[in-house]
Structure formats: C-alpha cells, structure tokens
Amino acid sequence: MKTTNRRRWGLLTILVLSVIVSGAQMSINPMLPGSGVYLKSQLWNFSVTSSHTSPLEGKIQLDVKDVQTRQTVLSGVSGKFIIPPGAKVLQAQALQPIQYNYTRGALADLSPNGVLPAGQYQVCYQLFLLNHSNPELAAEECVQLEVEPLSPPLLTYPDNGSVIEQAAPAFTWMPPAPLTMFGNLNYDFLLIEVFGGQSMTDAIQKNLPIQQASLLRQPVLQYPIASGRQLEKGKTYAWQIVARDGNRYAAKSEVWSFTLKGDSVKNDLNSIPYVKLGVKELAPVIIKDGILKIEYINEWSDLAVQATITTLEKSDERPLSFMLDVQKGQNFITYDLNKRAVLTEKKLYELRLVNSRGMSVSMRFIPTYSTK
C-alpha cells in the first residue's frame, strides 16, 4: 500500500513539474537598426526572455521574405546557444556557426557579412529549445524591414540650376551605394519641362514627361534618344533618376533643373569641354565621333605619357595603347581616336594615362557617333 502511494505521489510530482515547465514563458524580441544599410549579421540582433528557472539550450531559425513578391530571399539557422533565466541580448558572434540558404538570383552579395538588397521585407524568427530529443518551438516573432541604399543616385551633369549651350547634353550621375547591394542595377530616366511659377518637385510630379527611359545599365544617357523631343532654347527642364534592382524599386535621386541658353546653341567641337582626369572613379562622360578632349596635369618633366584604353564590359576587344606628347604643367589635349581604331558605340571604356614614375590618372567614357 505504501509503495502504491509512493508511486502515485511520484507520478503526481512529475505531472505537476511538467505543467510548471510547459507553462514557462519564452519570448524573442528582434532589435534591428532603425535605418541605414542592413548587413546580414544585423538580422541576428535580438533579445530572448525566459521564465524558466534554469538555463536551456536553443537555436534560432529566421526567414526573410520579399513583401512585394512574397518569395523567400534567404533563410538561416544559428548555432546552439545557452538561454539563461531572465533576459539575454544576443548578436551574430554569439550564434556561430550560422548557416544560410539563398534563393537563386535574389542576392548579389553571398558573403556572411554582406548587405541585403534594397527592398521591403518580412523577417520571421523562430526560437527552438533543444533540451529534448526533438526540437521544441518555444517562441516566434515577425517584423517588417525596409532596406535602403546608404546613398541614392547622385546627379552630376547638367549641374543643378545651370545654363547649358548643348542642345543634346549627356546626362550623367553616380550609382547608389553600396553597389554590392544590387544584383541587377538599372535606372529609369525622367525629363520634364518646368513651366513658369512651378517648383522642380511640383513639375516632376504633375507635368507630362518629354522623355522617359528605362533599364539603363550605365549611369549616363546621351540626349535625345529615340522619339525624344528636342530641347528648346530658353526653356527650363527638370530631371530625375530612379535606381532599381531588377524591377524592384531601390532609390531615387534629387530633382535637378537646367536651362538651355536662349541666344545660340553651339554644337561644334569648340563647345565640348575638356575632361579633367583623376585618381578616383568618376561618372562616365560621352565623347562624340571619337574625339577625346582631356585635361592633364604633368607635375614632372615627362615629354610623353603612356595612354591605354580598355573596355569595362565583357568583350574580346583588345586594349588600345599609344603615347601622348605632353609638356610640363597643365595640358589641354584633343586627340582623334579614329586614327587608332573605331570604338564600339555606347560601350563603356576607360582611358588611363601613366607617367614615367608609374603614377596614373583615368576617366571613363562612352563613345557616340553622329554618322556611321
């Protein structure tokens, strides 16, 4: 009889303890940054709260879905970690090894510390306890996340508020940053006329565009393109660039304006400005009919510098090399590339000048031709 009672008390004790354990509460609270570029490692910033009285072992699974397509962009599983009683803040370094699974073509940067592509996402977390033979789901939470580039496209030419003389200007801009955020970066171009009394923003929102272009791969557009209306003397125009990753919106530039000079429009070679070469990567410029016009500072006593032109796109085209005569100080050089070769129209090239000390400056350009 006593043995039976002991068994009953033992079973009752186990049942009570089971109820107490199962009634213990677990929660997970994501701690994502409020704005800025999102690194994959930042997804693993969260706190876990446990009402258990002893430490437990757990792991986290996360799923990142694109809000627009409802498709999973990436998923991940953390390594095992200890959950103490109370609250604990965790970050990626405490959850190693983290394993990722990627949807094909969804991300450009597959490195563990890489950035997420621009877009809107739903990030869902699941906390599993590992103290039993089978993992037990203890808590889950979902949050909305918007990823924006650190820098949107930056317009470079025509300058904001400028008066230009070219009726067929080359519009240029700088790409959004960081570039590793984009797997399929392309641009939309929008040009509208600004009427009297309108602000640029009001004009870009309300006026019908006189020119639109989509799926531009390079940060440059030679105006006009097919079906584009000619710019008119004395009129003011506003323009804007929208960056996309595939068909997904990423960021847009400011709205800039310019005015076409009213008294005359110069289209001859003398009206084309000289491009100053630099050590930093600059936005590409348009060169017309194979005529290079460059500004070069010769700080030494070199009589010539080595010039090399290479394509920056996939091609079997071989580099083009030749020597340029220079004098000490500032040089304004006009050079006809057609003497060497006819470059492919609308392809991106780089010109690099190297002096006798191995120091180099460069520029990027895209050739166009008025006749073929």
Side-chain angles (χ1 to χ4, degrees), residues 269 287-294 309 320 322-324 333-343 351 365 368-369:
L269 184 61
I287 68 165
K288 297 182 179 180
D289 298 322
I291 305 299
L292 269 178
K293 296 187 69 175
I294 57 175
I309 293 177
L320 180 65
F322 51 93
M323 301 300 294
L324 282 178
I333 302 170
T334 301
Y335 188 86
D336 186 357
L337 290 174
N338 299 303
K339 296 187 298 183
R340 300 287 175 177
V342 178
L343 302 181
L351 167 68
F365 67 90
T368 62
Y369 299 93

Side-chain angles (χ1 to χ4, degrees), residues 197-356:
Q198 278 190 313
S199 66
M200 291 184 296
T201 303
D202 190 47
I204 209 85
Q205 292 176 348
K206 296 180 179 179
N207 298 353
L208 291 175
I210 65 170
Q211 182 68 76
Q212 286 180 294
S214 300
L215 296 175
L216 301 174
R217 298 295 177 180
Q218 301 297 336
V220 60
L221 181 137
Q222 176 63 56
Y223 192 86
I225 58 177
S227 73
R229 201 174 85 194
Q230 292 289 335
L231 301 181
E232 299 181 41
K233 300 176 185 179
K235 289 193 174 182
T236 297
Y237 300 90
W239 64 295
Q240 186 176 47
I241 295 297
V242 177
R244 299 186 183 277
D245 193 7
N247 61 0
R248 184 193 299 117
Y249 168 83
K252 60 184 177 182
S253 71
E254 296 179 316
V255 180
W256 277 15
S257 70
F258 66 93
T259 301
L260 184 62
K261 192 172 182 179
D263 55 354
S264 64
V265 178
K266 299 178 182 179
N267 291 312
D268 59 3
L269 184 61
N270 292 331
S271 69
I272 301 175
Y274 288 88
V275 178
K276 187 173 183 178
L277 279 65
V279 295
K280 295 183 179 180
E281 180 181 316
L282 302 175
V285 299
I286 295 291
I287 68 165
K288 297 182 179 180
D289 298 322
I291 305 299
L292 269 178
K293 296 187 69 175
I294 57 175
E295 178 185 352
Y296 173 70
I297 307 297
N298 179 17
E299 298 178 352
W300 309 98
S301 299
D302 295 335
L303 299 178
V305 290
Q306 177 71 47
T308 304
I309 293 177
T310 54
T311 178
L312 298 180
E313 301 181 18
K314 291 183 179 179
S315 173
D316 295 330
E317 199 170 342
R318 294 183 178 180
L320 180 65
S321 295
F322 51 93
M323 301 300 294
L324 282 178
D325 295 333
V326 295
Q327 59 185 10
K328 187 174 178 60
Q330 192 175 37
N331 291 260
F332 292 95
I333 302 170
T334 301
Y335 188 86
D336 186 357
L337 290 174
N338 299 303
K339 296 187 298 183
R340 300 287 175 177
V342 178
L343 302 181
T344 305
E345 187 171 27
K346 297 183 179 179
K347 183 180 286 187
L348 180 63
Y349 291 89
E350 180 183 70
L351 167 68
R352 184 170 295 275
L353 301 188
V354 182
N355 68 13
S356 60

Side-chain angles (χ1 to χ4, degrees), residues 187-199:
Y187 306 98
D188 293 346
F189 169 85
L190 179 64
L191 178 70
I192 57 94
E193 182 181 343
V194 181
F195 302 120
Q198 278 190 313
S199 66

